């Protein structure tokens, strides 16, 4: 007989975190490690570009496999917001899955379940997915929900072109890069209908 673990949707659970790290060594080799000990990592190598690509892809694979839990506590808040000590904020908002990666350093990829308030003040992050809010529409089928209430699926890839090396053919090509929206420019000319 087997029993399946089921967590209550109202019981708060600790926010999860996954860290993938590229570590250099004195002999000009490097290794990739993952905070999930069950993950298989490539052997120590001098091919830093391949190891960096593997690390980015591995972080992407964790992101695609994770389902953001609406009842998770903010992982950042649980660490006394050490990631943003100069900007104090109160944990608030929905739970989001973020990727924190500084491309200037390029050695650490961190995925975390955190609150929206902390996500706004953390540097070098991309919000990958949002938790589905439990509540009023839980009893209605998805087809009957208004479009604004329908759950938003997690993105198949991570912004920045990261993709999993072990992904199937459907995940092999990254999606188009998203550009930031520009604010509309005010009109400088006069309209022709003003009679002037």
């Amino acid at each position: 007989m087997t029993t399946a673990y089921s967590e209550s949707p109202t019981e708060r659970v600790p926010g999860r975190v996954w860290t993938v790290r590229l570590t250099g060594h004195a002999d000009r080799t490097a290794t990739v490690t993952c905070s999930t000990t069950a993950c298989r990592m490539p052997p120590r190598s001098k091919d830093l570009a391949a190891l960096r690509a593997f690390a980015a892809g591995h972080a992407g694979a964790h992101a695609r496999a994770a389902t953001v839990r609406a009842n998770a506590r903010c992982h950042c808040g649980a660490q006394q917001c050490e990631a943003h000590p100069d900007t104090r904020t109160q944990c608030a908002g929905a739970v989001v899955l973020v990727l924190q990666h500084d491309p200037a350093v390029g050695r650490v990829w961190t995925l975390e379940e955190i609150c929206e308030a902390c996500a706004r003040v953390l540097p070098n992050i991309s919000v990958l997915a949002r938790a589905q809010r439990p509540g009023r529409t839980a009893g209605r089928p998805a087809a009957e929900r208004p479009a604004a209430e329908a759950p938003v699926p997690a993105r198949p890839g991570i912004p920045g072109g990261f993709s999993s090396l072990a992904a199937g053919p459907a995940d092999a090509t990254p999606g188009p890069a998203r550009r930031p929206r520009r604010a509309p420019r005010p009109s400088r000319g006069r309209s022709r209908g003003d009679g002037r």
Side-chain angles (χ1 to χ4, degrees):
M1 179 172 128
T2 60
T3 57
Y5 171 75
S6 64
E7 59 187 42
S8 166
T10 58
E11 180 182 336
R12 300 292 286 181
V13 294
R16 296 171 295 177
V17 62
W18 298 267
T19 303
V20 180
R21 186 178 308 271
L22 180 64
T23 306
H25 303 286
D27 62 352
R28 297 182 184 254
T29 62
T31 53
V32 177
T33 58
C34 180
S35 59
T36 303
T37 56
C39 292
R40 291 180 41 175
M41 297 290 110
R44 190 168 170 162
S45 171
K46 289 188 176 187
D47 188 351
L48 297 179
L51 290 178
R52 186 171 281 116
F54 177 86
H58 189 74
H62 274 297
R64 284 188 294 281
T67 301
V68 186
R69 303 166 305 165
N71 62 333
R73 286 189 198 101
C74 175
H75 180 265
C76 182
Q79 304 299 313
Q80 285 78 41
C81 297
E82 290 175 356
H84 55 90
D86 298 332
T87 309
R88 301 310 298 167
T89 185
Q90 294 292 325
C91 289
V95 179
V96 293
L97 178 68
V98 298
L99 170 68
Q100 187 171 21
H101 175 71
D102 183 352
V105 178
R107 294 182 181 170
V108 179
W109 294 258
T110 304
L111 292 158
E112 294 180 274
E113 284 179 316
I114 64 174
C115 71
E116 290 176 321
C118 286
R120 283 191 284 274
V121 297
L122 285 173
N124 302 308
I125 69 155
S126 298
V127 175
L128 306 178
R130 297 182 186 284
Q132 179 180 345
R133 291 185 185 239
R136 295 170 264 155
T137 60
R140 287 192 281 168
E144 294 177 12
R145 295 180 196 160
E149 295 178 1
V152 178
R155 295 182 198 169
I158 295 178
F162 297 150
S163 61
S164 171
L165 296 179
D171 293 337
T173 57
R178 295 181 73 185
R179 293 186 177 184
R181 292 183 185 173
R182 292 184 183 180
R185 291 185 175 188
S187 173
R188 291 186 183 203
R190 296 180 183 169
S191 68
R192 294 183 181 188
D194 65 359
R196 293 181 192 170

